[in-house]
Amino acid sequence: MQIIRKKVFCVFLTLALVFNMFIIFPINTFAAESENVPTVFVSSAQGKPGDLISLTVSFQNNPGLSGYGITLKFNPSKLTYVTSNPGVVLSDNFTRTVRTQLNEIFFVSYDNDGNYVDGENLFSVSFIIDPNLTDRVIEGEDIMFFYKNIILEGFEIPDGGGDTIYPTIIQPRIEVENDECEHEYDDGVETTKATCIEEGLMTYTCSYCDDSYTEPISIDPNNHVGGTYEEEIIVATCVVEGLMGIYCNSCNELLDTRIIPIKTEHPGDTYEQIITAATCVATGIMGIYCTDCDYFLTTNIIPINPENHVGGTYENIITNPTCITKGIMGIYCSGCNELLETESILGGHPGGSYQNEIIAATCISEGTMGIYCSECYELIETETIPINPDNHVESSYTQEYIPATCITEGTLGIYCAGCHALIETEFVVINPNNHIGETYRSVIIPPTYDAEGLRGIYCSGCHELLDTEIISPIDCKHEDGTYEEVITSATCVAEGLVVTHCNNCHDELGTVIIPINPNNHVGGTYEDEITAATCVAEGLMGIYCNSCDVQLHTASTVINPNNHVGGTYEEVITTATCVTTGTMGIYCNDCDELLETDTIPLNPINHAGDTYRDVITIATCATEGVMGIYCSDCNALIYTEPIAKNPDNHVGGTYEEMIVAPTCIATGIMEVYCNSCHELLETDTIPINPINHIGNTYNNVITVSICVTEGVMGIYCFDCNALIYTEPIAINLDNHVGETYEAVITEATYTNEGLMGIYCSGCGALLETEVIPIKQDEQKDCDFLRERAAGILKNGLKTDNLRLVGKVLTLVIDGREFILSKNANNRNIEGEIPLGDGCYLRFDIKGNGSNIKVFEIIKK
């Protein structure tokens, strides 16, 4: 069985050679289910620097191989390619292509006839290890075998249906020996101490050659060498202590803490709480408190709030209502008499009423009927309208009402989506596939003695054939006679055979043997050369029975110009190229006649025609390009040449450098350079940067500071006058810009002036004072006298309160004299002295003024 078609494989080889520059790294897509799976195995090797080593590539567990294509990539700084040779598998068409610039070698071979080849060894490749190499192992990216695109078309398994497989590649390992020193390393020295953020370094040194290597020391989380910084964990306030954390500068780990004492000031926020709310007739008082500790700090006056009506309300009709016009009722504040709101006042509806449907009743919901005033058309009341089962306002849906069958039409019902009532019906056409009636059977093919019959199962309604069943053959009793059938005639080499059959069912009833007939050569004859005729001599031909090989007679044969028995030799008639097959002639050694020609397969490396050039890699400003030289016939890449750098092709992107930074009044300059060659490509203007103020500044007050709030000083750019930043202006205790309020400092009396203070509503500072005049209109008031005489009435008379001039005893109160007695010699004096305006002083004097009792000042 031929697994690979020649045309397919030729296309594969051509594409493999054209596209072999595009790398597809190996992917192990063949899952090994047993130990006997195909595997590409690359041997390993050992050697010293400067040694020649060889690697063998083999195809193990080979089920039969038709072709392969494998690429080797290696590091030329460690290995120098020497040569490669084919192995025993597919060695005839083995080729390799060395690409020095890519450090690659492409190996390919195939069997053009698609035959399977036994064996494992594909090819070998030799390298010289770099004499100065110090590495101990060469592997991985330094030497790697992998597949190219569309290769391995020939890895076929015959028993698996001919599917392409992609075997695993076992990569090589080259161990490099070094005999200069048998290293013996010490116990190591800590050359770099591990810290909290960086690993340390332990250095191990050879005691013979000073060769050394290092190993990392794990990070030491307890070695904090970068200093410390402090950061508040808990901020101290006027109510709680704070907590300061001490952290490592390097790893930010918390090392220690210290307590921050409670603050005596109130640095935090404040909150306001109304002590007395402002109303529409009186100012209120706002208390300012510390948010943290609720400490009372100060108060602010809350101006009268004309919106806060707390004294209750009263109503007053503004406009009286009628039947068809509404009246207006005003609601007023009892404190300030302000109209707060109005309400409509409804009158009666004496003019009768009428009905109008507001919401229609449907099949699922009640409706609403409105009762309206006939005069003013106002809705007076509503009534419920019962559900109307005939009003289907929702959407509808369809549902099969009576299903259609193979002989009758069906009915489709249309239902209301709201109440699911059947609204209407539609006819449904006959359904030829719905057989709902009985069935009957009828013979389609009657059975015979030697063959089954067929019975059909039909629908009783439409008579359609629904199914079939087998009818067993008729049972024969062999009672109607027999007939004979010669199965094999007796010949010169074999007995004959006659079989007896039943006339009805043709069953075999018995057999009879016919003896051999030596004269019946019925198998035909064959010729066998006794002496073969050749291209230069006659021959002798024997005629034999095909069955018993008895020679029947002989005959001479004429010279056979086509029997070339003397061997052949080959000679190339037409050479094969990359696009045309060649011709090989096979000639007779005796007569030199051209016996046949064979096609010589395409030779993919014989490019006999012209070539053309095509750029593979474009040259840039920093890297050379690659020019491919291709065969004009097959487009295969033959070799490559470098393309000189192109200083005008900047493909590596760009980067920018600011030459002059833009400011708030001037543009900047940005230069754009090539990332690859750093050439200046262009110069761009950077727009003005409105926030880059590099000149002088000036100050200007934005908000004036007053007695309760700081002001704001703006710092402006001298060039563009833009506001750069602001600074607070300290509170100005002398700038009182708010409202003022008055408070009595000293009350005025009937004898002394009082003092009224004018205070700032913002900070409460005393701004000025005003004199309160002496009380004038109350000189005759008993309360005034009682107030001024209070000390005398409670504490007894003093010498300066009681004057005795001659016999006249006088009481002095606030400079006013009241005669108690005109005859002070009397030992007992009591009575009442009119003080004016109905006021009287009741007194009782004992012992000529030595014991004076004043009772009270009364008013009659």
Side-chain angles (χ1 to χ4, degrees):
M1 177 173 64
Q2 187 167 332
I3 302 303
I4 300 178
R5 292 188 295 272
K6 294 181 180 179
K7 291 184 179 179
V8 173
F9 198 70
C10 290
V11 171
F12 143 67
L13 288 173
T14 301
L15 292 175
L17 291 171
V18 172
F19 299 108
N20 57 18
M21 68 192 73
F22 303 108
I23 299 174
I24 297 178
F25 286 94
I27 301 175
N28 296 334
T29 59
F30 182 78
E33 297 181 357
S34 69
E35 295 180 355
N36 297 321
V37 296
T39 304
V40 177
F41 179 82
V42 185
S43 65
S44 295
Q46 286 183 327
K48 299 177 181 178
D51 283 358
L52 175 69
I53 56 99
S54 179
L55 303 176
T56 300
V57 181
S58 59
F59 186 41
Q60 298 185 352
N61 300 316
N62 181 5
L65 181 63
S66 296
Y68 65 83
I70 298 176
T71 295
L72 163 63
K73 191 173 184 68
F74 64 94
N75 186 343
S77 67
K78 298 182 180 182
L79 294 170
T80 301
Y81 170 70
V82 178
T83 185
S84 57
N85 296 294
V88 297
V89 178
L90 305 178
S91 60
D92 291 341
N93 293 318
F94 175 79
T95 59
R96 89 281 289 162
T97 303
V98 179
R99 297 179 182 83
T100 305
Q101 289 183 333
L102 300 177
N103 304 318
E104 290 183 357
I105 308 172
F106 179 51
F107 302 95
V108 63
S109 187
Y110 61 95
D111 184 338
N112 194 56
D113 293 331
N115 295 323
Y116 291 97
V117 182
D118 294 330
E120 290 186 345
N121 190 0
L122 300 180
F123 59 89
S124 63
V125 59
S126 300
F127 293 95
I128 294 178
I129 302 174
D130 186 85
N132 299 318
L133 185 67
T134 58
D135 292 1
R136 297 305 179 99
V137 176
I138 304 173
E139 61 183 347
E141 293 184 356
D142 289 332
I143 181 164
M144 179 179 290
F145 290 81
F146 52 89
Y147 301 128
K148 293 289 195 171
N149 58 329
I150 71 168
I151 65 167
L152 294 177
E153 186 75 23
F155 281 128
E156 304 279 356
I157 302 177
D159 295 337
D163 293 333
T164 299
I165 63 170
Y166 297 89
T168 300
I169 294 183
I170 306 301
Q171 298 292 344
R173 173 186 172 91
I174 301 173
E175 296 184 356
V176 182
E177 302 173 359
N178 192 333
D179 293 337
E180 293 181 0
C181 177
E182 294 292 336
H183 295 300
E184 184 174 326
Y185 295 97
D186 58 18
D187 294 334
V189 176
E190 186 180 49
T191 52
T192 303
K193 191 174 184 62
T195 69
C196 57
I197 58 170
E198 293 183 347
E199 292 181 334
L201 203 61
M202 180 71 76
T203 302
Y204 299 88
T205 306
C206 176
S207 57
Y208 298 114
C209 66
D210 295 330
D211 181 59
S212 64
Y213 70 93
T214 60
E215 290 183 354
I217 302 172
S218 300
I219 287 175
D220 182 359
N222 298 317
N223 186 17
H224 306 282
V225 295
T228 60
Y229 67 92
E230 292 187 346
E231 188 174 292
E232 277 186 330
I233 300 173
I234 301 173
V235 178
T237 68
C238 51
V239 291
V240 295
E241 293 178 332
L243 187 65
M244 181 69 73
I246 302 167
Y247 296 85
C248 173
N249 266 332
S250 300
C251 65
N252 301 312
E253 182 180 342
L254 178 64
L255 305 179
D256 199 357
T257 59
R258 62 179 175 84
I259 300 299
I260 304 173
I262 289 176
K263 294 184 178 179
T264 56
E265 67 274 13
H266 306 279
D269 295 332
T270 60
Y271 68 91
E272 296 179 337
Q273 185 169 304
I274 295 174
I275 298 173
T276 304
T279 68
C280 57
V281 293
T283 57
I285 300 174
M286 178 69 75
I288 312 299
Y289 298 86
C290 173
T291 301
D292 295 325
C293 62
D294 300 316
Y295 181 77
F296 172 71
L297 302 177
T298 185
T299 59
N300 286 334
I301 299 299
I302 304 174
I304 286 175
N305 182 2
E307 305 296 331
N308 187 17
H309 306 282
V310 295
T313 60
Y314 64 90
E315 295 181 344
N316 193 24
I317 294 175
I318 299 174
T319 305
N320 290 317
T322 67
C323 172
I324 58 174
T325 60
K326 296 179 180 179
I328 300 174
M329 174 68 76
I331 291 89
Y332 296 84
C333 173
S334 298
C336 64
N337 300 314
E338 181 182 343
L339 177 63
L340 304 180
E341 59 177 307
T342 59
E343 293 179 352
S344 297
I345 307 172
L346 300 177
H349 303 284
S353 64
Y354 66 92
Q355 294 182 341
N356 192 27
E357 190 177 60
I358 299 174
I359 301 173
T362 69
C363 60
I364 59 172
S365 61
E366 296 175 331
T368 304
M369 179 67 73
I371 314 298
Y372 295 84
C373 174
S374 297
E375 293 292 333
C376 62
Y377 310 110
E378 182 179 348
L379 177 65
I380 302 172
E381 61 178 308
T382 59
E383 294 179 353
T384 298
I385 303 173
I387 286 175
N388 181 1
D390 297 322
N391 186 16
H392 306 285
V393 296
E394 297 290 331
S395 59
S396 62
Y397 64 92
T398 59
Q399 183 171 304
E400 191 175 55
Y401 188 59
I402 300 174
T405 70
C406 59
I407 57 173
T408 61
E409 293 178 331
T411 304
L412 190 67
I414 301 173
Y415 295 85
C416 173
C419 65
H420 307 291
L422 177 63
I423 301 173
E424 59 179 305
T425 60
E426 294 180 353
F427 286 110
V428 180
V429 297
I430 287 174
N431 181 0
N433 297 317
N434 187 15
H435 307 283
I436 61 173
E438 299 294 329
T439 60
Y440 66 91
R441 287 170 167 76
S442 180
V443 175
I444 300 173
I445 302 172
T448 65
Y449 289 110
D450 55 359
E452 296 174 331
L454 188 64
R455 181 182 292 111
I457 302 172
Y458 296 86
C459 174
S460 297
C462 63
H463 307 294
E464 181 180 342
L465 177 63
L466 305 180
D467 200 356
T468 60
E469 58 186 18
I470 302 298
I471 305 173
S472 301
I474 299 172
D475 185 16
C476 181
K477 303 298 184 180
H478 311 301
E479 297 173 349
D480 295 332
T482 63
Y483 65 92
E484 292 183 344
E485 179 185 7
V486 177
I487 302 302
T488 307
S489 299
T491 67
C492 58
V493 291
E495 294 173 333
L497 182 65
V498 175
V499 177
T500 302
H501 295 274
C502 173
N503 278 333
N504 286 330
C505 66
H506 309 293
D507 281 353
E508 183 180 324
L509 303 179
T511 59
V512 177
I513 302 298
I514 304 172
I516 288 174
N517 181 0
N519 297 317
N520 185 17
H521 303 283
V522 294
T525 61
Y526 67 90
E527 295 178 346
D528 192 7
E529 282 182 328
I530 299 171
T531 304
T534 69
C535 58
V536 293
E538 291 181 345
L540 183 62
M541 181 69 70
I543 312 302
Y544 298 87
C545 174
N546 269 333
S547 300
C548 61
D549 296 319
V550 172
Q551 182 176 348
L552 304 179
H553 58 88
T554 61
S556 296
T557 58
V558 297
I559 289 174
N560 182 2
N562 296 318
N563 186 17
H564 306 280
V565 297
T568 60
Y569 65 91
E570 294 180 341
E571 187 174 296
V572 175
I573 299 173
T574 306
T575 304
T577 70
C578 58
V579 291
T580 59
T581 57
T583 305
M584 177 69 74
I586 294 94
Y587 296 87
C588 176
N589 276 330
D590 293 331
C591 64
D592 298 318
E593 181 182 345
L594 176 61
L595 303 180
E596 61 177 305
T597 60
D598 283 345
T599 299
I600 303 174
L602 295 175
N603 184 354
I605 62 173
N606 183 17
H607 307 286
D610 294 331
T611 60
Y612 67 91
R613 308 164 76 86
D614 194 10
V615 175
I616 298 173
T617 306
I618 298 173
T620 68
C621 57
T623 60
E624 293 182 336
V626 179
M627 176 68 74
I629 291 78
Y630 295 86
C631 174
S632 296
D633 295 324
C634 67
N635 299 315
L637 176 64
I638 303 174
Y639 61 93
T640 60
E641 293 178 351
I643 303 173
K645 294 179 181 179
N646 180 1
D648 298 322
N649 186 17
H650 306 283
V651 296
T654 60
Y655 64 92
E656 297 177 335
E657 284 190 5
M658 185 182 293
I659 305 304
V660 179
T663 68
C664 58
I665 58 172
T667 57
I669 299 174
M670 180 72 76
E671 291 184 346
V672 182
Y673 293 86
C674 173
N675 266 333
S676 302
C677 64
H678 309 293
E679 179 182 342
L680 175 63
L681 303 181
E682 60 179 299
T683 301
D684 293 337
T685 299
I686 307 173
I688 286 174
N689 182 356
I691 61 172
N692 186 18
H693 309 284
I694 60 173
N696 295 325
T697 60
Y698 66 90
N699 298 344
N700 194 23
V701 175
I702 297 174
T703 305
V704 176
S705 65
I706 60 176
C707 58
V708 290
T709 58
E710 293 180 334
V712 179
M713 176 67 74
I715 290 77
Y716 295 83
C717 175
F718 191 82
D719 294 326
C720 67
N721 298 312
L723 176 63
I724 302 174
Y725 61 94
T726 61
E727 292 179 350
I729 303 173
I731 288 175
N732 183 356
L733 298 177
D734 298 324
N735 187 15
H736 308 283
V737 297
E739 299 292 331
T740 60
Y741 66 92
E742 296 180 344
V744 174
I745 299 172
T746 305
E747 293 282 354
T749 67
Y750 298 104
T751 58
N752 297 311
E753 293 176 334
L755 190 64
M756 177 69 73
I758 314 300
Y759 295 87
C760 174
S761 296
C763 64
L766 177 63
L767 304 181
E768 59 179 304
T769 58
E770 293 180 356
V771 174
I772 303 174
I774 293 175
K775 292 183 179 180
Q776 299 293 332
D777 298 335
E778 299 177 352
Q779 293 295 331
K780 296 180 180 181
D781 190 356
C782 291
D783 290 339
F784 167 76
L785 294 175
R786 188 179 291 115
E787 178 183 342
R788 297 306 172 211
I792 299 173
L793 298 176
K794 291 180 181 179
N795 302 322
L797 295 177
K798 299 179 182 179
T799 304
D800 58 352
N801 295 121
L802 188 65
R803 296 178 183 176
L804 181 61
V805 179
K807 294 182 178 181
V808 179
L809 184 61
T810 305
L811 178 64
V812 181
I813 301 175
D814 279 344
R816 294 179 63 185
E817 295 182 352
F818 300 95
I819 299 173
L820 301 182
S821 175
K822 292 184 178 181
N823 185 4
N825 294 326
N826 296 334
R827 299 187 60 83
N828 298 313
I829 303 173
E830 61 178 318
E832 294 179 346
I833 300 174
L835 301 178
D837 197 21
C839 296
Y840 291 87
L841 174 64
R842 292 180 59 193
F843 64 90
D844 183 7
I845 301 174
K846 302 295 185 181
N848 195 23
S850 60
N851 185 8
I852 301 176
K853 295 181 180 179
V854 178
F855 293 99
E856 58 181 336
I857 295 176
I858 62 174
K859 187 169 184 177
K860 296 183 178 179

